[in-house]
Amino acid sequence: MNRIALTAAALAIAALATPAAAQLKLPRISPDAKITQTVGLTDLTVTYSRPGVKGRTVWGDLVPYDKEWRTGANNATTFTTTDEIQFGGKTLPAGKYGLATIPGKDEWTVIVNSQSETWGTVYDATKDLVRVTAKPQPAPYREWFWIGFDDLSPVSSNAICDEASLVIHWENLRVAVPIKVEVTNKALAGCRTAVADAKADDWSTAFQAARYCFQNEVALEEGRGWLDKSLAVQKRYSNLTLLARWQMKVGKKKEAIATGEKAIAAGKASKETVDTSGTEKLVAKWKATK
């Protein structure tokens, strides 16, 4: 092999041995952001970039009216849901999507598109999956563009959250799209699987499933069966207290008081530290009720 060939071979080997240069990462004028909100058992995620107002006129100027907008900066804004949801009253399957808008003076169109891996200005309306309208509302000034989740409901103490809003907020304007998720059937399916798979000495899983049914007033007969299964494994302060509350709920006051007293005794006899005051107050209240 001549000298030139040897040199070429050496250079080729050296090139193979040299690691690829790391991709240069520089700060963006509009920084990236990501927010995830769990609603019920469903995870909702938005990934986007956040431009600033920076003294500019935003609506109708920087962001023109009646034209498709990437709803952020840089890459396309994306919206991901782990389950099928109702997005602005329309069904949206689980998946990752592009999120765009058409802002208007009096009404916005919010678009969910099948394109999720594009630069923000690349948009194909033929790939729209859902379009919903929303009314812009006045809002406190916000310098940096923001998308997130708000308006979680319900607000009652024991109820499960199954609704929220996707909120777009920038400068002095806010747009919200209502989202509703299915919770009960998904939760009950998880309960059934977990109880069926529980070990023979596991009292807690069936108790948690029963408590979910009791607190949310769903599948009460099935839930009571899970409570009986938990009690058959081991009688504890927590599952006895739930039984007492269940008995009182169906009008068995005498049995509820007796079970509540057993729960208090079990809690005080436990090797673990158990606060029995809640059940003590319940039993006292039941005794005082005619």
Side-chain angles (χ1 to χ4, degrees):
M1 184 180 291
N2 61 35
R3 189 171 179 179
I4 295 175
L6 285 170
T7 301
L11 289 172
I13 293 171
L16 290 172
T18 302
Q23 185 177 0
L24 180 61
K25 186 174 182 179
L26 296 171
R28 285 179 162 181
I29 294 174
S30 300
D32 295 337
K34 182 177 183 179
I35 184 168
T36 296
Q37 175 67 56
T38 300
V39 181
L41 293 168
T42 301
D43 289 336
L44 307 172
T45 302
V46 174
T47 303
Y48 67 108
S49 297
R50 304 185 64 186
V53 175
K54 301 178 181 178
R56 298 173 292 183
T57 300
V58 174
W59 308 116
D61 190 357
L62 179 65
V63 178
Y65 288 132
D66 305 321
K67 290 185 178 180
E68 187 277 332
W69 177 41
R70 75 182 81 181
T71 317
N74 304 322
N75 300 74
T77 295
T78 64
F79 174 77
T80 304
T81 173
T82 55
D83 296 297
E84 180 181 282
I85 61 173
Q86 294 296 307
F87 185 86
K90 297 184 178 180
T91 301
L92 182 67
K96 181 178 180 181
Y97 305 100
L99 182 71
T101 56
I102 302 175
K105 281 186 177 182
D106 301 314
E107 187 175 79
W108 282 39
T109 300
V110 181
I111 304 164
V112 178
N113 188 284
S114 62
Q115 295 175 296
S116 62
E117 303 294 339
T118 64
W119 185 252
T121 55
V122 178
Y123 171 71
D124 183 353
T126 65
K127 295 185 178 181
D128 289 351
L129 300 175
V130 169
R131 283 189 171 214
V132 299
T133 58
K135 295 289 186 182
Q137 301 292 333
Y141 181 84
R142 186 184 286 273
E143 170 67 24
W144 292 94
F145 177 70
W146 183 85
I147 306 179
F149 301 95
D150 204 351
D151 309 328
L152 274 67
S153 64
V155 294
S156 56
S157 59
N158 291 325
I160 300 298
C161 173
D162 64 353
E163 295 181 11
S165 291
L166 173 72
V167 177
I168 299 167
H169 186 176
W170 196 19
E171 199 203 43
N172 56 1
L173 182 145
R174 180 184 190 268
V175 174
V177 177
I179 293 173
K180 186 172 179 61
V181 305
E182 204 291 315
V183 178
T184 301
N185 290 334
K186 188 175 176 66
L188 287 175
C191 287
R192 293 178 187 118
T193 299
V195 171
D197 292 344
K199 295 180 180 179
D201 61 350
D202 179 1
W203 65 270
S204 179
T205 299
F207 160 69
Q208 292 179 62
R211 182 175 59 185
Y212 172 80
C213 293
F214 181 82
Q215 289 178 339
N216 294 280
E217 297 189 347
V218 296
L220 290 175
E221 184 176 348
E222 189 172 19
R224 180 55 198 271
W226 290 334
L227 178 56
D228 289 342
K229 184 171 185 176
S230 171
L231 289 162
V233 175
Q234 187 176 359
K235 292 179 174 61
R236 307 272 297 213
Y237 168 74
S238 52
N239 57 14
L240 283 168
T241 295
L242 180 59
L243 175 60
R245 294 177 64 196
W246 215 305
Q247 290 169 331
M248 192 66 183
K249 183 181 180 67
V250 297
K252 296 182 178 180
K253 177 182 173 181
K254 184 177 179 180
E255 291 90 335
I257 292 172
T259 303
E261 290 175 338
K262 289 179 183 178
I264 294 166
K268 292 184 180 298
S270 175
K271 295 180 180 179
E272 303 169 357
T273 301
V274 178
D275 181 5
T276 61
S277 61
T279 304
E280 289 174 30
K281 291 177 182 177
L282 276 177
V283 171
K285 179 181 177 181
W286 295 339
K287 287 181 176 180
T289 303
K290 293 182 180 181

